[in-house]
Amino acid sequence: RAAEWQLDQPAWSGRLRITAKGSTAFIKLEDKSSGELFAQAPVEQFPGVAVEGVTDSSRYFVIRIEDGNGRRAFIGVGFVDRGDAFDFNVALQDHFKWVRQQSELARQAQDLEQGPKLDLGFKEGQTIKLNIANMKKKEGGTGSTRPRPAGPGGLSLLPPPPGGKSSSGERLAPLSTPAQLPGTPITDSLLSWPQPTAAPAADVWGDFAKASG
């Protein structure tokens, strides 16, 4: 109970700061002018035995101070302003809330490392089948073809193969006989070139002379 303390004659007065190193918070009592450390209380858990509130006031607390050599002592600490006492509580609560979050994240990461890992690699002899029928159909439907030159009457004509070769690479042999058109008989006159006829031996003016006589 804070009422049992000698509040009108405090043994020491100064400033209070809260710092943290790792998961441990430190309540430091320092000289308000020089900043010299008077005492400090390491807090590893809150609420806990290192910091306890009194039963008859929200402005007073009991803290456990340590000198670093194993010696400990419990002293009473009070704030003149109630708002400072509220900030003291909130600072300790925020620190240990952060400690719990870090601990939870570390535990989740450890569970992921220890859990079974998903193996997406191919086993020896394993194959995979891809169906690309839709891809071929799409390319055939949307692909553009080069237009061929159109001949007379709208018919498409292909140029003759160079060098007298067919598309398959075979050379075309010359025809030994003329091609026969339907309904046309093949005769000797078709097989030979026409020869020039000899001029007649008779006088071409003979008939003309007879007619004039």
Side-chain angles (χ1 to χ4, degrees):
R1 291 177 57 88
E4 299 174 358
W5 303 345
Q6 298 177 359
L7 300 180
D8 54 343
Q9 297 178 354
W12 178 89
S13 62
R15 70 182 183 187
L16 183 148
R17 288 196 310 136
I18 297 179
T19 62
K21 184 177 181 180
S23 61
T24 304
F26 294 89
I27 301 174
K28 294 185 176 183
L29 304 177
E30 301 173 344
D31 185 271
K32 58 184 176 180
S33 300
S34 64
E36 182 182 358
L37 180 64
F38 173 75
Q40 71 175 0
V43 183
E44 297 179 353
Q45 185 179 357
F46 182 79
V49 68
V51 181
E52 294 181 282
V54 298
T55 59
D56 58 344
S57 176
S58 60
R59 297 186 294 115
Y60 293 89
F61 303 86
V62 176
I63 64 175
R64 183 181 63 186
I65 60 174
E66 299 180 8
D67 63 354
N69 296 322
R71 294 186 300 175
R72 300 175 176 177
F74 290 92
I75 63 173
V77 175
F79 296 91
V80 177
D81 186 83
R82 196 175 301 275
D84 294 337
F86 176 80
D87 293 341
F88 174 76
N89 262 311
V90 170
L92 291 173
Q93 290 174 3
D94 288 347
H95 170 73
F96 286 99
K97 180 180 179 181
W98 174 83
V99 170
R100 288 190 296 270
Q101 291 176 349
Q102 295 299 315
S103 177
E104 181 67 19
L105 292 176
R107 185 185 64 81
Q108 293 178 1
Q110 185 177 5
D111 292 343
L112 291 176
E113 292 179 357
Q114 295 179 354
K117 297 182 179 180
L118 183 61
D119 186 10
L120 299 178
F122 284 98
K123 305 298 186 296
E124 184 177 358
Q126 186 178 3
T127 59
I128 185 172
K129 182 179 180 182
L130 298 177
N131 185 6
I132 57 175
N134 294 334
M135 185 182 299
K136 291 183 177 180
K137 182 178 180 182
K138 182 177 180 181
E139 290 179 355
T142 59
S144 60
T145 58
R146 180 177 296 179
R148 296 179 177 178
L155 297 180
S156 298
L157 300 179
L158 295 177
K165 293 184 179 181
S166 64
S167 59
S168 60
E170 297 179 355
R171 183 177 297 275
L172 299 178
L175 295 177
S176 58
T177 58
Q180 180 180 3
L181 298 180
T184 304
I186 298 178
T187 61
D188 294 340
S189 61
L190 296 177
L191 298 179
S192 60
W193 292 97
Q195 300 296 328
T197 57
D203 186 7
V204 295
W205 299 98
D207 296 336
F208 179 78
K210 294 178 180 180
S212 61

